[in-house]
Amino acid sequence: MSLNESWTWPAIVFVGHGGGIGGLLGGEGGLSNRREMLSFTLMWTLAVFGLVFGATGLVAASVPLRAGRPLTALVLFLIVAGFGMITALIGGSLMGYFIGSIYEIGGFTMALWVPLGWAVVQVLVAVISSYAEVGLNAL
């Protein structure tokens, strides 16, 4: 069985050997250099963080808005969304560079869904790590 006919993990396809179903699993439709991998990971991370932190900012802004303070609500929304975007910019850049380097050194193309998966992982880690238990039992 040749390399083109063998089954491979969908996220890893050898460069120059095609594979995948119409480029969906990598191959011709995959990302082949580090700059593409970095930009796709960064854009997906910004989009996912924007959705999550935008929704969080809207919920946080609804409290002062109900109290009749629209300026406070706007400032609160911009702070929450701004910190989310800064976190996404830093995390997406670092993650894109690291996974892009690993795929490039290994000689693989990256499937188009892998950056989205890493963006979701990053936002889940940010949400999970935002919970802090305060009290004497936390010591």
Side-chain angles (χ1 to χ4, degrees):
M1 179 181 299
S2 72
L3 187 58
N4 287 338
E5 298 171 0
S6 67
W7 288 89
T8 60
W9 175 250
I12 300 174
V13 179
F14 290 100
V15 175
H17 294 289
I21 303 169
L24 178 66
L25 301 178
E28 297 165 15
L31 307 171
S32 59
N33 63 34
R34 191 179 326 162
R35 181 175 291 273
E36 291 175 347
M37 296 175 199
L38 172 67
S39 64
F40 264 68
T41 305
L42 180 61
M43 292 305 133
W44 274 116
T45 305
L46 285 170
V48 172
F49 268 75
L51 288 173
V52 170
F53 279 86
T56 305
L58 286 174
V59 170
S62 68
V63 174
L65 195 59
R66 278 188 259 149
R69 299 187 312 207
L71 185 61
T72 306
L74 178 65
V75 169
L76 187 60
F77 171 76
L78 291 176
I79 288 173
V80 171
F83 278 126
M85 291 295 100
I86 291 170
T87 304
L89 184 66
I90 294 169
S93 297
L94 290 174
M95 186 62 68
Y97 182 77
F98 289 143
I99 64 173
S101 297
I102 291 170
Y103 273 82
E104 192 175 67
I105 289 170
F108 301 110
T109 58
M110 182 186 293
L112 298 176
W113 58 267
V114 172
L116 173 62
W118 280 107
V120 170
V121 166
Q122 288 182 69
V123 81
L124 289 176
V125 167
V127 169
I128 290 169
S129 65
S130 68
Y131 175 75
E133 184 175 332
V134 179
L136 294 176
N137 293 333
L139 301 174

